[in-house]
Amino acid sequence: MEGKNEQRAGLLYGIGAYVMWGLVPLFWPLLKPSGAIEILAHRMVWSLGVVTIALLAVRRWAWIGELVRDRRKLALISVAAATITVNWGLYIWAVNNGQVVEASLGYFINPLVTIAMGVLLLGERLRPVQWVAVATGLAAVLVLAIGYGRPPWISLVLAFSFATYGLVKKKVNMGGLESLAAETAVLFVPALGFLLWLAATGKSTFTAGGTGHGFLLAATGIVTAIPLICFGAAAVRVPLSTLGLLQYLAPIFQFGLGVVYFKESMPPERWAGFALVWLALSLLTWDALRTARRNRALAVKLLATAAAAPATATPTPEGAAILPGNAAPLGGTTTPTPEAATTTTGTEAPNPAQQKTT
């Protein structure tokens, strides 16, 4: 019963996190007349403050010493900070310039871009259905380029920057809160310097926009941290395959807001492009679930075989137990657990708990 309650709580945390990320386009327009770069700088500065309070609450500080002593990890954190800066900044600009639908497309195609990068950069092998999904995604980008009259560069930059961020985070291997704290710490000095420069030149909107506007800019830290905290709570309670399905909630909400609330145009060719993207994601999800189910069944079968082996083993003159019909000793094979066999894409993808900070 306790396990079911934990999974139910994890599911609610995960849904809450992705719904908040999906509804965040409603927040950025409230910060006008601040520009995208000023909003981004405030987000970096205030996020560090909120995350620091969260780390104080959970008393997790040991990672700081380890990070400072590891130059390679520090360099990777700096790369992650640079790529998420591009992602955050462009997303804010897109929302505040009437491009919510194209921004949502970036997060729809992100899984496909992540898989493509795994093949090109890590030499990972794809299953046939995954190849079909990637090819369908590429066709969708071509259709959308025709519909827009230009490549959907906002979507592509968002997708590739976030996929790069995920790849780097995979190598860093840090928790969500710790990673966000390290990244915002790297960005804190240039962000604060930029805000001070705006104030010195009379271009800052932090105080000029009134007290309410200043509070909204400060709230960017909360808007960044709370969904991440909920996501971290979900990641330790539900399987990654579940999180892999929940991740589509955010771009679905963003797309819906773009079409219904912001009333962005959706000509037929754009609907066709999005339909191809959704087809590609459906294929990818079906293949991932089928593979996960097959792997779990294989793991259960191997566990059952290993459990039954001692009762049917025949001792050898040396006393080693041999499996019937197999020349390998019992200790010579490794049996995967069902948890280890579960995958969401079929390629080695970054842990969402260490990745998502949109």
Side-chain angles (χ1 to χ4, degrees), residues 216-280:
L216 284 174
L217 285 172
T220 55
I222 299 174
V223 168
T224 300
I226 288 183
L228 181 67
I229 293 170
C230 289
F231 186 86
V236 297
R237 290 175 171 85
V238 298
L240 290 181
S241 56
T242 302
L243 289 177
L245 294 175
L246 290 178
Q247 71 175 324
Y248 298 124
L249 284 176
I252 287 172
F253 273 93
Q254 293 164 9
F255 175 81
L257 285 174
V259 174
V260 178
Y261 181 79
F262 293 104
K263 301 189 184 305
E264 296 182 16
S265 63
M266 283 293 292
E269 59 271 19
R270 199 171 296 177
W271 278 112
F274 270 89
L276 285 173
V277 170
W278 296 331
L279 174 61

Side-chain angles (χ1 to χ4, degrees), residues 28-52:
W28 303 125
L30 300 178
L31 303 181
K32 293 179 178 179
S34 299
I37 299 179
E38 183 180 4
I39 296 172
L40 176 64
H42 276 286
R43 187 178 189 182
M44 294 170 179
V45 169
W46 295 108
S47 292
L48 180 59
V50 174
V51 173
T52 299

Side-chain angles (χ1 to χ4, degrees), residues 312-330:
T312 58
T314 303
T316 64
E318 291 77 14
I322 304 296
L323 291 175
N326 194 335
L330 276 174

Side-chain angles (χ1 to χ4, degrees), residues 13-167:
Y13 278 125
I15 292 173
Y18 281 113
V19 168
M20 282 187 277
W21 279 319
L23 296 178
V24 79
L26 295 173
F27 178 71
W28 303 125
L30 300 178
L31 303 181
K32 293 179 178 179
S34 299
I37 299 179
E38 183 180 4
I39 296 172
L40 176 64
H42 276 286
R43 187 178 189 182
M44 294 170 179
V45 169
W46 295 108
S47 292
L48 180 59
V50 174
V51 173
T52 299
I53 293 172
L55 288 173
L56 280 171
V58 297
R59 299 181 181 181
R60 294 210 299 255
W61 300 105
W63 59 273
I64 296 178
E66 298 174 4
L67 178 62
V68 171
R69 290 189 296 269
D70 192 334
R71 292 185 178 181
R72 177 180 175 276
K73 189 171 284 190
L74 271 175
L76 289 173
I77 283 290
S78 299
V79 173
T83 55
I84 202 61
T85 297
V86 172
N87 188 274
W88 282 359
L90 180 58
Y91 184 75
I92 294 169
W93 179 89
V95 171
N96 283 355
N97 284 272
Q99 301 293 334
V100 177
V101 169
E102 188 174 347
S104 73
L105 176 63
Y107 294 105
F108 273 125
I109 66 174
N110 177 66
L112 299 171
V113 172
T114 300
I115 288 177
M117 289 180 66
V119 173
L120 296 175
L121 301 180
L122 303 179
E124 295 177 348
R125 299 176 61 184
L126 300 186
R127 294 183 294 274
V129 175
Q130 290 176 312
W131 278 115
V132 173
V134 171
T136 305
L138 180 59
V141 171
L142 293 176
V143 170
L144 288 166
I146 295 172
Y148 280 107
R150 57 171 175 80
W153 67 270
I154 295 174
S155 306
L156 293 173
V157 173
L158 287 174
F160 276 93
S161 62
F162 200 70
T164 302
Y165 177 71
L167 180 64

